[in-house]
Coordinates of all heavy atoms in Angstrom, one line a residue:
M273 N 122.6 68.5 57.6 CA 122.7 69.8 57.8 C 122.3 70.2 59.3 O 121.2 69.8 59.7 CB 121.8 70.6 56.8 CG 122.4 72.0 56.5 SD 121.2 73.2 56.0 CE 120.1 73.2 57.4
S274 N 123.1 70.9 60.0 CA 123.0 71.2 61.4 C 122.6 72.6 61.7 O 122.3 73.0 62.8 CB 124.2 70.8 62.1 OG 125.3 71.4 61.6
C275 N 122.7 73.6 60.6 CA 122.6 75.0 61.0 C 121.2 75.3 61.4 O 120.2 75.0 60.8 CB 122.9 75.7 59.6 SG 122.6 77.5 59.8
Q276 N 121.2 76.1 62.6 CA 119.9 76.5 63.1 C 119.8 78.0 62.9 O 118.8 78.6 63.3 CB 120.0 76.3 64.7 CG 120.4 75.0 65.2 CD 119.2 74.1 65.1 OE1 118.1 74.4 65.7 NE2 119.3 72.9 64.5
H277 N 120.7 78.6 62.2 CA 120.7 80.1 61.9 C 120.0 80.4 60.7 O 119.3 81.5 60.7 CB 122.2 80.6 61.8 CG 123.1 80.2 62.9 ND1 123.9 79.1 62.8 CD2 123.3 80.7 64.1 CE1 124.5 78.9 64.0 NE2 124.3 79.9 64.8
V278 N 120.1 79.7 59.6 CA 119.7 80.1 58.4 C 118.1 80.4 58.3 O 117.6 81.2 57.6 CB 120.1 79.1 57.3 CG1 119.4 77.8 57.4 CG2 119.8 79.7 55.8
S279 N 117.4 79.6 59.2 CA 116.0 79.8 59.2 C 115.5 81.0 59.9 O 114.4 81.5 59.9 CB 115.3 78.6 59.8 OG 115.8 78.3 61.1
T280 N 116.4 81.7 60.6 CA 116.1 82.8 61.4 C 116.4 84.2 60.7 O 116.0 85.2 61.2 CB 116.9 82.9 62.7 OG1 118.3 83.1 62.5 CG2 116.6 81.6 63.5
V281 N 117.1 84.1 59.6 CA 117.5 85.4 59.0 C 116.3 85.9 58.1 O 115.5 85.2 57.6 CB 118.8 85.3 58.1 CG1 120.0 85.0 58.9 CG2 118.6 84.2 56.9
A282 N 116.2 87.3 58.0 CA 115.2 88.0 57.2 C 116.0 88.9 56.3 O 116.3 90.1 56.6 CB 114.2 88.8 58.1
P283 N 116.4 88.4 55.1 CA 117.3 89.2 54.3 C 116.7 90.5 53.9 O 115.6 90.7 53.8 CB 117.4 88.3 52.9 CG 117.1 86.9 53.4 CD 116.0 87.1 54.5
V284 N 117.7 91.4 53.8 CA 117.5 92.9 53.5 C 118.3 93.3 52.3 O 119.4 92.6 52.0 CB 117.7 93.8 54.7 CG1 116.8 93.5 55.9 CG2 119.2 93.8 55.1
P285 N 118.0 94.3 51.6 CA 118.8 94.8 50.4 C 120.2 95.1 50.8 O 120.5 95.5 51.9 CB 118.1 96.0 49.9 CG 116.7 95.9 50.4 CD 116.9 95.2 51.8
P286 N 121.1 94.9 49.8 CA 122.6 95.3 50.1 C 122.7 96.7 50.4 O 122.1 97.5 49.7 CB 123.2 94.8 48.7 CG 122.2 94.6 47.7 CD 120.9 94.2 48.5
R287 N 123.6 97.1 51.3 CA 123.8 98.5 51.6 C 124.6 99.1 50.6 O 124.6 100.3 50.3 CB 124.5 98.6 53.0 CG 123.6 97.9 54.1 CD 124.0 98.4 55.5 NE 125.4 98.3 55.9 CZ 125.7 97.7 57.1 NH1 124.8 97.4 57.9 NH2 127.0 97.7 57.3
T288 N 125.6 98.3 50.0 CA 126.5 98.9 49.0 C 126.5 98.0 47.8 O 127.5 97.2 47.6 CB 128.0 99.1 49.6 OG1 128.4 97.9 50.1 CG2 128.0 100.2 50.7
P289 N 125.5 98.1 46.9 CA 125.5 97.1 45.8 C 126.6 97.2 44.9 O 126.9 96.2 44.2 CB 124.2 97.6 45.0 CG 123.5 98.5 46.0 CD 124.5 99.1 46.9
K290 N 127.5 98.2 44.9 CA 128.6 98.4 44.0 C 129.8 97.7 44.4 O 130.8 97.5 43.7 CB 128.9 99.8 43.8 CG 127.8 100.6 43.1 CD 128.4 101.9 42.5 CE 127.4 102.5 41.5 NZ 126.9 103.9 41.8
G291 N 129.8 97.2 45.7 CA 131.1 96.5 46.2 C 131.1 96.3 47.7 O 130.2 96.7 48.3
C292 N 132.4 95.9 48.1 CA 132.7 95.7 49.5 C 132.6 97.1 50.2 O 133.3 98.0 49.9 CB 134.0 95.0 49.7 SG 134.4 95.0 51.5
E293 N 131.7 97.2 51.2 CA 131.5 98.4 51.9 C 132.8 99.0 52.5 O 133.1 100.1 52.4 CB 130.5 98.1 53.0 CG 130.1 99.4 53.9 CD 128.9 99.1 54.8 OE1 128.0 98.3 54.4 OE2 128.8 99.7 55.8
D294 N 133.5 98.1 53.1 CA 134.8 98.6 53.8 C 135.9 98.8 52.8 O 136.7 99.8 53.0 CB 135.3 97.5 54.7 CG 134.2 97.1 55.7 OD1 133.9 97.8 56.6 OD2 133.5 96.0 55.4
C295 N 136.0 98.2 51.7 CA 137.0 98.4 50.7 C 136.7 99.7 49.9 O 137.7 100.4 49.6 CB 137.1 97.3 49.6 SG 137.9 95.8 50.3
L296 N 135.4 100.0 49.7 CA 135.1 101.2 49.1 C 135.5 102.4 49.9 O 135.9 103.4 49.3 CB 133.6 101.2 48.8 CG 133.0 100.4 47.7 CD1 131.5 100.3 47.7 CD2 133.5 100.7 46.3
K297 N 135.4 102.3 51.2 CA 135.8 103.3 52.1 C 137.4 103.6 51.9 O 137.8 104.7 52.1 CB 135.5 103.0 53.5 CG 134.0 103.3 53.9 CD 133.8 103.0 55.4 CE 132.3 102.7 55.6 NZ 132.1 101.9 56.8
T298 N 138.1 102.5 51.8 CA 139.6 102.7 52.0 C 140.2 102.7 50.6 O 141.4 102.9 50.5 CB 140.2 101.5 52.8 OG1 139.9 100.3 52.1 CG2 139.7 101.5 54.2
G299 N 139.4 102.5 49.5 CA 140.0 102.4 48.2 C 140.7 101.1 47.8 O 141.5 101.0 46.9
S300 N 140.3 100.1 48.6 CA 141.0 98.8 48.4 C 140.2 98.0 47.4 O 139.2 98.3 47.0 CB 140.9 98.0 49.8 OG 142.0 97.3 50.0
G301 N 140.9 96.8 47.0 CA 140.2 96.0 45.9 C 139.8 94.6 46.5 O 140.2 94.4 47.7
W302 N 139.0 93.9 45.8 CA 138.6 92.6 46.3 C 138.5 91.6 45.1 O 138.6 91.9 44.0 CB 137.1 92.8 46.9 CG 136.1 93.3 46.0 CD1 135.4 92.7 45.0 CD2 135.7 94.7 45.9 NE1 134.7 93.5 44.3 CE2 134.8 94.8 44.8 CE3 136.1 95.9 46.6 CZ2 134.2 95.9 44.4 CZ3 135.5 97.1 46.1 CH2 134.6 97.1 45.1
V303 N 138.3 90.3 45.5 CA 138.2 89.3 44.5 C 136.7 88.9 44.4 O 136.2 89.0 43.3 CB 139.0 88.0 45.0 CG1 138.9 86.8 43.9 CG2 140.5 88.4 45.2
H304 N 136.1 88.4 45.4 CA 134.6 88.0 45.3 C 133.9 88.8 46.4 O 134.5 89.1 47.5 CB 134.4 86.5 45.5 CG 135.1 85.7 44.5 ND1 134.8 85.8 43.1 CD2 136.1 84.8 44.5 CE1 135.6 85.0 42.4 NE2 136.4 84.3 43.3
L305 N 132.6 88.9 46.3 CA 131.8 89.5 47.3 C 130.7 88.6 48.0 O 130.2 87.6 47.4 CB 130.9 90.7 46.6 CG 131.8 91.8 46.0 CD1 131.0 92.8 45.2 CD2 132.6 92.5 47.1
R306 N 130.5 88.9 49.2 CA 129.5 88.2 50.0 C 128.5 89.2 50.7 O 128.9 90.2 51.1 CB 130.2 87.4 51.2 CG 131.4 86.5 50.7 CD 130.9 85.3 49.9 NE 132.0 84.4 49.5 CZ 132.3 84.3 48.2 NH1 131.6 84.9 47.3 NH2 133.3 83.6 47.8
L307 N 127.2 88.8 50.7 CA 126.2 89.5 51.3 C 125.7 89.0 52.6 O 125.3 87.8 52.6 CB 125.0 89.7 50.3 CG 123.8 90.3 50.8 CD1 123.9 91.8 51.1 CD2 122.6 90.1 49.8
C308 N 125.9 89.8 53.6 CA 125.3 89.4 54.9 C 123.7 89.4 54.9 O 123.1 90.4 54.6 CB 125.8 90.3 56.0 SG 125.1 90.0 57.7
L309 N 123.2 88.3 55.2 CA 121.8 88.2 55.1 C 121.1 88.7 56.4 O 119.8 88.7 56.3 CB 121.3 86.8 54.9 CG 121.8 86.1 53.4 CD1 121.1 84.8 53.3 CD2 121.4 87.1 52.4
T310 N 121.8 89.1 57.4 CA 121.2 89.8 58.5 C 121.0 91.3 58.4 O 120.0 91.8 58.7 CB 122.0 89.5 59.8 OG1 122.2 88.0 59.9 CG2 121.3 90.1 61.0
C311 N 122.1 91.9 57.8 CA 122.0 93.4 57.9 C 122.2 94.0 56.5 O 122.2 95.2 56.3 CB 123.0 94.0 58.8 SG 124.7 93.8 58.4
G312 N 122.6 93.2 55.5 CA 122.8 93.8 54.1 C 124.2 94.3 54.0 O 124.6 94.8 52.9
H313 N 125.1 94.0 54.8 CA 126.5 94.4 54.6 C 127.1 93.6 53.4 O 126.9 92.4 53.4 CB 127.3 94.0 55.9 CG 128.8 94.3 55.8 ND1 129.6 93.2 55.4 CD2 129.6 95.3 56.0 CE1 131.0 93.7 55.4 NE2 130.9 95.0 55.7
V314 N 127.8 94.2 52.6 CA 128.5 93.6 51.5 C 130.0 93.5 51.8 O 130.6 94.7 52.1 CB 128.3 94.3 50.2 CG1 129.1 93.6 49.0 CG2 126.8 94.2 49.7
G315 N 130.6 92.4 51.9 CA 132.0 92.3 52.2 C 132.7 91.3 51.2 O 132.2 90.7 50.5
C316 N 134.1 91.5 51.3 CA 134.9 90.7 50.3 C 135.3 89.3 51.0 O 135.3 89.1 52.2 CB 136.1 91.5 50.0 SG 137.0 92.2 51.3
C317 N 135.5 88.4 50.1 CA 135.7 87.0 50.5 C 137.2 86.7 51.0 O 138.0 87.6 51.1 CB 135.5 86.1 49.3 SG 137.0 86.3 48.1
D318 N 137.4 85.5 51.5 CA 138.7 85.2 52.0 C 139.9 85.2 51.1 O 141.0 85.0 51.5 CB 138.6 83.9 52.9 CG 137.9 84.0 54.1 OD1 137.6 85.2 54.5 OD2 137.6 83.1 54.8
S319 N 139.6 85.2 49.8 CA 140.7 85.3 48.8 C 141.1 86.8 48.6 O 142.0 87.0 47.8 CB 140.2 84.7 47.5 OG 139.8 83.4 47.7
S320 N 140.3 87.6 49.1 CA 140.6 89.1 49.0 C 141.6 89.5 50.0 O 141.6 88.9 51.1 CB 139.3 89.9 49.2 OG 138.3 89.4 48.3
P321 N 142.4 90.5 49.9 CA 143.4 91.0 50.8 C 142.8 91.3 52.2 O 143.4 91.1 53.1 CB 144.1 92.2 50.2 CG 143.6 92.4 48.8 CD 142.4 91.4 48.6
N322 N 141.7 91.8 52.3 CA 141.1 92.3 53.6 C 140.1 91.4 54.3 O 139.7 91.7 55.4 CB 140.6 93.7 53.4 CG 141.7 94.8 53.0 OD1 142.7 94.9 53.7 ND2 141.6 95.3 51.9
R323 N 139.5 90.5 53.5 CA 138.6 89.5 54.1 C 137.5 90.1 54.9 O 137.2 89.8 56.1 CB 139.4 88.5 55.0 CG 140.5 87.8 54.1 CD 141.2 86.7 55.0 NE 142.2 86.1 54.2 CZ 143.0 85.1 54.5 NH1 142.8 84.6 55.7 NH2 143.9 84.6 53.7
H324 N 136.8 91.1 54.4 CA 135.9 91.8 55.2 C 134.6 91.1 55.5 O 134.0 91.4 56.5 CB 135.5 93.2 54.5 CG 136.6 94.3 54.6 ND1 137.2 94.9 53.4 CD2 137.3 94.7 55.6 CE1 138.0 95.7 53.8 NE2 138.2 95.7 55.1
A325 N 134.3 90.1 54.7 CA 133.1 89.4 55.0 C 133.3 88.6 56.3 O 132.5 88.5 57.2 CB 132.7 88.5 53.9
T326 N 134.5 87.9 56.4 CA 134.8 87.2 57.7 C 134.9 88.1 58.9 O 134.4 87.8 60.0 CB 136.1 86.4 57.4 OG1 135.8 85.4 56.4 CG2 136.4 85.6 58.7
K327 N 135.6 89.3 58.6 CA 135.7 90.2 59.7 C 134.3 90.7 60.2 O 134.1 90.9 61.4 CB 136.5 91.4 59.3 CG 138.0 91.2 59.3 CD 138.8 92.4 58.9 CE 140.3 92.0 58.7 NZ 141.0 92.9 57.9
H328 N 133.4 90.9 59.2 CA 132.1 91.3 59.7 C 131.4 90.3 60.6 O 130.7 90.7 61.5 CB 131.2 91.6 58.4 CG 129.8 92.0 58.6 ND1 129.5 93.2 59.2 CD2 128.7 91.3 58.5 CE1 128.1 93.3 59.4 NE2 127.6 92.1 59.0
F329 N 131.5 89.1 60.1 CA 131.0 88.0 61.0 C 131.5 88.1 62.4 O 130.8 88.1 63.5 CB 131.2 86.6 60.5 CG 131.1 85.5 61.4 CD1 129.9 85.2 62.0 CD2 132.1 84.7 61.8 CE1 129.7 84.2 62.9 CE2 132.0 83.7 62.7 CZ 130.8 83.4 63.3
H330 N 132.9 88.2 62.6 CA 133.5 88.3 63.9 C 133.0 89.6 64.7 O 132.8 89.5 65.9 CB 135.0 88.2 63.8 CG 135.4 86.8 63.5 ND1 135.2 85.7 64.1 CD2 136.1 86.4 62.3 CE1 135.7 84.6 63.5 NE2 136.3 85.0 62.5
N331 N 132.9 90.6 64.0 CA 132.5 91.9 64.6 C 131.0 92.0 65.1 O 130.6 92.6 66.0 CB 132.8 93.1 63.8 CG 134.3 93.3 63.6 OD1 135.1 92.8 64.3 ND2 134.7 94.0 62.4
S332 N 130.2 91.3 64.2 CA 128.7 91.4 64.3 C 128.0 90.3 64.8 O 126.8 90.4 65.3 CB 128.1 91.8 62.9 OG 128.3 90.7 62.1
D333 N 128.6 89.0 64.7 CA 127.9 87.8 65.0 C 126.7 87.6 64.0 O 125.8 86.9 64.4 CB 127.4 87.9 66.5 CG 127.6 86.6 67.2 OD1 128.5 85.8 66.7 OD2 127.0 86.3 68.3
H334 N 126.8 88.1 62.9 CA 125.8 87.8 61.8 C 126.3 86.6 61.1 O 127.3 86.6 60.3 CB 125.6 88.9 60.9 CG 125.0 90.2 61.5 ND1 125.1 91.4 60.9 CD2 124.3 90.3 62.7 CE1 124.5 92.2 61.8 NE2 124.1 91.6 62.8
P335 N 125.8 85.4 61.2 CA 126.4 84.1 60.7 C 126.2 83.8 59.3 O 127.0 83.1 58.7 CB 125.8 83.0 61.6 CG 124.4 83.6 62.0 CD 124.5 85.1 62.0
I336 N 125.1 84.3 58.6 CA 124.7 83.8 57.3 C 125.2 84.8 56.2 O 124.7 85.9 56.2 CB 123.4 83.4 57.1 CG1 122.8 82.6 58.2 CG2 123.1 82.8 55.8 CD1 123.3 81.2 58.2
V337 N 126.0 84.3 55.2 CA 126.2 85.2 54.0 C 125.7 84.5 52.8 O 125.7 83.2 52.8 CB 127.6 85.5 53.8 CG1 128.1 86.6 54.9 CG2 128.6 84.4 53.8
A338 N 125.4 85.2 51.8 CA 125.2 84.6 50.4 C 126.2 85.1 49.5 O 126.8 86.2 49.8 CB 123.8 85.0 49.9
S339 N 126.5 84.4 48.4 CA 127.4 84.9 47.4 C 126.7 86.1 46.7 O 125.5 86.1 46.4 CB 127.6 83.8 46.3 OG 128.4 84.5 45.4
F340 N 127.5 87.1 46.6 CA 127.1 88.3 45.9 C 127.8 88.4 44.5 O 127.9 89.5 43.9 CB 127.2 89.6 46.7 CG 126.4 90.8 46.3 CD1 125.1 90.6 46.2 CD2 127.0 91.9 46.0 CE1 124.2 91.8 45.9 CE2 126.2 93.1 45.7 CZ 124.8 93.0 45.6
E341 N 128.0 87.3 43.9 CA 128.7 87.2 42.6 C 127.6 87.0 41.5 O 126.6 86.3 41.8 CB 129.7 86.1 42.5 CG 130.9 86.4 43.3 CD 131.7 87.6 42.9 OE1 132.0 87.6 41.7 OE2 131.9 88.6 43.7
P342 N 127.8 87.6 40.4 CA 126.7 87.4 39.3 C 126.4 85.9 39.0 O 127.3 85.2 38.8 CB 127.3 88.1 38.2 CG 128.3 89.1 38.7 CD 128.9 88.5 39.9
G343 N 125.2 85.7 39.1 CA 124.7 84.3 38.7 C 124.9 83.2 39.9 O 124.3 82.1 39.7
E344 N 125.6 83.5 40.9 CA 125.8 82.6 42.0 C 124.7 82.5 42.9 O 124.1 83.6 43.2 CB 127.1 82.8 42.7 CG 128.3 82.4 41.8 CD 129.7 82.4 42.6 OE1 129.7 82.5 43.9 OE2 130.7 82.3 42.0
R345 N 124.2 81.3 43.3 CA 123.1 81.2 44.3 C 123.5 80.2 45.4 O 123.2 79.0 45.2 CB 121.8 80.8 43.5 CG 121.3 81.8 42.5 CD 120.7 83.0 43.2 NE 120.2 83.9 42.3 CZ 120.9 84.9 41.6 NH1 122.2 85.0 41.8 NH2 120.2 85.7 40.8
W346 N 124.2 80.6 46.4 CA 124.4 79.7 47.5 C 124.7 80.6 48.8 O 124.9 81.8 48.6 CB 125.6 78.9 47.2 CG 127.0 79.6 46.8 CD1 127.4 79.8 45.6 CD2 127.9 80.2 47.6 NE1 128.6 80.4 45.6 CE2 129.0 80.7 46.8 CE3 128.1 80.3 49.1 CZ2 130.0 81.3 47.3 CZ3 129.2 80.9 49.6 CH2 130.2 81.4 48.7
A347 N 124.5 80.0 49.9 CA 124.7 80.7 51.2 C 125.6 79.8 52.1 O 125.7 78.6 51.9 CB 123.3 80.8 51.8
W348 N 126.2 80.5 53.0 CA 127.2 79.8 53.9 C 127.0 80.3 55.4 O 126.6 81.5 55.6 CB 128.6 80.3 53.4 CG 129.7 79.8 54.3 CD1 130.4 80.6 55.3 CD2 130.4 78.5 54.2 NE1 131.4 79.7 55.9 CE2 131.4 78.6 55.3 CE3 130.2 77.4 53.5 CZ2 132.3 77.4 55.5 CZ3 131.0 76.3 53.7 CH2 132.0 76.3 54.7
C349 N 127.1 79.4 56.3 CA 127.1 79.7 57.7 C 128.4 79.8 58.3 O 129.0 78.7 58.3 CB 126.1 78.7 58.4 SG 126.0 79.2 60.2
Y350 N 128.9 80.9 58.7 CA 130.2 81.0 59.4 C 130.2 80.2 60.7 O 131.3 79.6 61.0 CB 130.6 82.4 59.7 CG 131.0 83.1 58.4 CD1 130.3 84.1 57.9 CD2 132.3 82.9 57.9 CE1 130.8 84.9 56.8 CE2 132.8 83.6 56.9 CZ 132.0 84.6 56.3 OH 132.5 85.3 55.2
A351 N 129.1 80.3 61.5 CA 129.1 79.6 62.8 C 129.4 78.1 62.7 O 130.1 77.5 63.4 CB 127.8 80.0 63.5
D352 N 128.5 77.5 61.7 CA 128.7 76.1 61.5 C 129.7 75.6 60.5 O 129.9 74.5 60.2 CB 127.3 75.6 61.1 CG 126.2 75.8 62.2 OD1 126.6 75.3 63.4 OD2 125.3 76.4 62.0
E353 N 130.3 76.7 59.7 CA 131.2 76.4 58.7 C 130.6 75.3 57.7 O 131.3 74.3 57.4 CB 132.5 75.9 59.3 CG 133.2 77.0 60.1 CD 134.5 76.6 60.6 OE1 134.7 75.4 61.0 OE2 135.4 77.4 60.5
E354 N 129.5 75.7 57.2 CA 128.9 74.7 56.2 C 127.9 75.5 55.2 O 127.5 76.6 55.6 CB 128.1 73.6 56.9 CG 126.8 74.1 57.6 CD 125.9 73.0 58.2 OE1 126.4 71.9 58.2 OE2 124.8 73.2 58.6
E355 N 127.9 75.0 54.0 CA 127.0 75.5 53.1 C 125.5 75.3 53.5 O 125.2 74.2 54.0 CB 127.2 75.0 51.7 CG 126.4 75.8 50.7 CD 126.9 75.5 49.2 OE1 128.0 74.7 49.0 OE2 126.1 75.8 48.3
V356 N 124.6 76.3 53.4 CA 123.2 76.1 53.9 C 122.3 76.5 52.7 O 122.7 77.1 51.7 CB 123.0 77.1 55.1 CG1 123.7 76.5 56.3 CG2 123.2 78.5 54.8
P357 N 121.0 76.1 52.7 CA 120.2 76.4 51.7 C 120.0 77.9 51.5 O 119.7 78.6 52.6 CB 118.9 75.7 52.0 CG 119.2 74.7 53.1 CD 120.4 75.2 53.8
L358 N 119.9 78.5 50.3 CA 119.7 79.9 50.1 C 118.3 80.3 50.5 O 117.4 79.8 49.8 CB 120.1 80.3 48.7 CG 119.8 81.7 48.4 CD1 120.9 82.6 49.0 CD2 119.8 82.0 46.9
P359 N 118.1 81.2 51.4 CA 116.8 81.5 51.7 C 116.0 82.2 50.5 O 116.7 83.1 49.9 CB 116.9 82.6 52.9 CG 118.2 82.3 53.5 CD 119.0 81.8 52.4
R360 N 114.8 81.8 50.2 CA 114.2 82.3 49.1 C 114.0 83.9 49.1 O 114.2 84.6 48.0 CB 112.8 81.8 48.9 CG 112.8 80.4 48.3 CD 111.3 80.1 48.0 NE 111.3 79.3 46.7 CZ 110.1 79.0 46.1 NH1 109.0 79.3 46.6 NH2 110.2 78.4 44.9
A361 N 113.9 84.4 50.3 CA 113.8 85.8 50.4 C 115.0 86.6 50.0 O 114.9 87.8 49.8 CB 113.3 86.2 51.9
A362 N 116.1 85.9 50.0 CA 117.4 86.6 49.6 C 117.5 86.7 48.1 O 118.3 87.6 47.7 CB 118.5 85.8 50.2
E363 N 116.9 85.9 47.4 CA 117.2 85.8 45.9 C 116.9 87.2 45.1 O 117.8 87.5 44.3 CB 116.3 84.7 45.3 CG 116.9 83.3 45.6 CD 116.2 82.3 44.7 OE1 115.7 82.6 43.6 OE2 116.0 81.1 45.3
P364 N 115.9 88.0 45.5 CA 115.8 89.2 44.7 C 116.9 90.2 45.0 O 117.2 91.1 44.2 CB 114.5 89.8 45.4 CG 113.8 88.6 46.0 CD 114.9 87.7 46.4
F365 N 117.8 90.0 46.0 CA 118.8 90.9 46.3 C 120.2 90.5 45.7 O 121.1 91.3 45.8 CB 119.0 91.1 47.8 CG 117.8 91.5 48.5 CD1 117.3 90.9 49.7 CD2 117.0 92.5 48.0 CE1 116.2 91.2 50.3 CE2 115.9 92.9 48.6 CZ 115.4 92.2 49.8
L366 N 120.2 89.3 45.1 CA 121.4 88.8 44.5 C 121.6 89.3 43.1 O 120.6 89.8 42.5 CB 121.4 87.2 44.6 CG 121.3 86.7 46.1 CD1 121.4 85.2 46.0 CD2 122.3 87.3 47.0
R367 N 122.8 89.1 42.5 CA 123.0 89.6 41.2 C 122.8 88.6 40.0 O 123.1 87.4 40.3 CB 124.5 90.1 41.2 CG 124.7 91.3 42.1 CD 126.2 91.4 42.4 NE 126.9 92.1 41.3 CZ 128.2 92.1 41.1 NH1 129.0 91.6 42.1 NH2 128.8 92.6 40.1
D368 N 122.3 89.1 38.9 CA 122.0 88.2 37.8 C 123.3 87.8 37.1 O 124.2 88.5 37.1 CB 121.1 88.9 36.8 CG 119.7 89.2 37.4 OD1 119.3 88.4 38.1 OD2 119.2 90.3 37.0
Ligands
ZN272 ZN1 124.4 78.1 61.2
ZN273 ZN1 136.6 94.3 51.6
ZN274 ZN1 125.7 91.7 59.0

């Protein structure tokens, strides 16, 4: 594992626990959700029409997301394009 980013994030609560922040604004739909562990942005995955989680990474430079799907516990670094250990501090913000 080469990621130097995951140890630097301090997870915060999701800003839009009900779904993708950007899709909710436009009335769009999504497939899966990802939570930005830097700022709490909830965005939709690359299987979704609008790919807001990836767009958020490019717009913000926030590299680490966690799955925001019920029961899933994993994290991903966009900068290194690899799965990274889920920070323990993020767990309370994920969905059961
Ligand atoms: Zn990284
Ligand atoms: Zn979206
Ligand atoms: Zn962010």
Side-chain angles (χ1 to χ4, degrees):
M273 211 208 54
S274 55
C275 179
Q276 308 280 310
H277 309 94
V278 67
S279 55
T280 68
V281 292
V284 297
R287 302 200 302 227
T288 53
K290 291 201 168 119
C292 172
E293 182 169 328
D294 306 282
C295 285
L296 287 172
K297 275 183 207 153
T298 60
S300 218
W302 57 81
V303 180
H304 299 296
L305 295 172
R306 307 288 179 247
L307 172 65
C308 173
L309 294 189
T310 304
C311 72
H313 174 269
V314 177
C316 49
C317 73
D318 284 353
S319 303
S320 307
N322 295 301
R323 304 180 179 188
H324 284 126
T326 297
K327 280 182 190 158
H328 177 70
F329 162 64
H330 289 296
N331 292 337
S332 67
D333 223 16
H334 297 162
I336 310 289
V337 290
S339 174
F340 199 54
E341 288 302 304
E344 290 192 7
R345 295 291 182 273
W346 54 264
W348 176 261
C349 178
Y350 280 110
D352 295 306
E353 298 187 315
E354 67 177 8
E355 193 168 344
V356 294
L358 179 72
R360 279 192 140 187
E363 283 188 35
F365 304 134
L366 303 184
R367 294 162 75 195
D368 293 328

